[in-house]
Amino acid sequence: MRDQITPLLSEARIQARVREMGAQLARDYAGKDLVVVGLLNGVYPFFADLTRALDLDFEVGFMQVSSYGGGTESTGEVHILKDLDTSIQGRHALVVEDIVDTGLTLFKVRHLLLDREPASLRICTLLDKPSRRKIEVPVDYTGFSIEDHFVVGYGLDYDGKLRNLPYVGVYHP
Ligand code: IMP
Ligand code: MG
């Protein structure tokens, strides 16, 4: 599988950007009651690195959602496989995602979480593919904007694999 990958973002570049994002979030959320919400599975390396670069006291929580539809396209029909086990009512919620593609997943997750009346809700993603957007969703923090490539590594998978790579590359099936 690995011989089908063209490197796109090196480990060093990702780590430098994640540290910058952590510093920015530390400024923006200083003194606030923050819950950082990770969307499993793809977010796990980014989440671990970002939260360790965020020098504040906050709670973490996870959700797992799946967009059915088959293949590499999401349909917008979002099913909750695992819900948050902490309340965000009256608190500042920061949703962390690996990649925003069509926007359908985050659109749904955002509305679901807004119904719980957080004090604020922002979205932070490592990668964004703006040219693929099908529905507007406000993304507050973006690591890297990329072209319309199918990417793997640093949490992103092809067929459930390649999440463990420390870099991001374009996958050519
Ligand atoms: P959206 O609902 O289309 O924005 O889908 C976002 C989800 O699709 C992400 O959380 C990923 O799981 C998956 N996804 C989108 N683009 C890629 C990609 O290039 N590589 C791997 N997974 C992707
Ligand atoms: Mg994902």
Side-chain angles (χ1 to χ4, degrees):
M1 297 188 88
R2 293 182 188 207
D3 56 350
Q4 287 157 274
I5 301 172
T6 311
L8 183 67
L9 301 167
S10 69
E11 179 174 5
R13 218 178 139 195
I14 294 169
Q15 293 302 327
R17 182 68 184 122
V18 170
R19 280 193 296 275
E20 280 177 9
M21 295 175 86
Q24 169 86 57
L25 291 169
R27 288 192 292 275
D28 293 358
Y29 286 100
K32 295 193 170 145
D33 180 17
L34 172 64
V35 184
V36 185
V37 178
L39 299 188
L40 296 171
N41 291 323
V43 86
Y44 81 90
F46 178 47
F47 193 89
D49 291 339
L50 185 71
T51 53
R52 287 179 295 178
L54 177 44
D55 192 14
L56 291 177
D57 298 325
F58 53 89
E59 196 173 340
V60 299
F62 295 96
M63 285 178 82
Q64 187 174 13
V65 297
S66 77
S67 328
Y68 291 175
T72 54
E73 287 279 309
S74 74
T75 55
E77 207 191 320
V78 171
H79 299 253
I80 299 183
L81 303 179
K82 183 215 177 296
D83 202 349
L84 267 183
D85 52 21
T86 189
S87 170
I88 57 168
Q89 188 170 22
R91 310 175 73 189
H92 296 273
L94 177 69
V95 177
V96 183
E97 170 68 303
D98 51 3
I99 188 165
V100 187
D101 186 35
T102 62
L104 292 165
T105 305
L106 270 177
F107 181 86
K108 291 284 167 110
V109 168
R110 182 169 173 272
H111 284 282
L112 203 110
L113 294 180
L114 282 175
D115 281 348
R116 300 178 189 180
E117 303 176 322
S120 73
L121 190 152
R122 287 183 185 168
I123 291 171
C124 174
T125 185
L126 176 72
L127 302 176
D128 188 5
K129 291 197 270 194
S131 67
R132 295 260 308 160
R133 204 71 93 248
K134 285 186 182 159
I135 191 158
E136 272 316 306
V137 58
V139 180
D140 302 282
Y141 303 94
T142 303
F144 303 92
S145 267
I146 63 171
E147 301 292 310
D148 180 12
H149 299 302
F150 190 79
V151 287
V152 294
Y154 200 63
L156 295 147
D157 72 300
Y158 175 75
D159 200 18
K161 301 196 182 74
L162 300 171
R163 295 192 197 273
N164 57 311
L165 299 175
Y167 61 91
V168 170
V170 178
Y171 191 69
H172 310 278

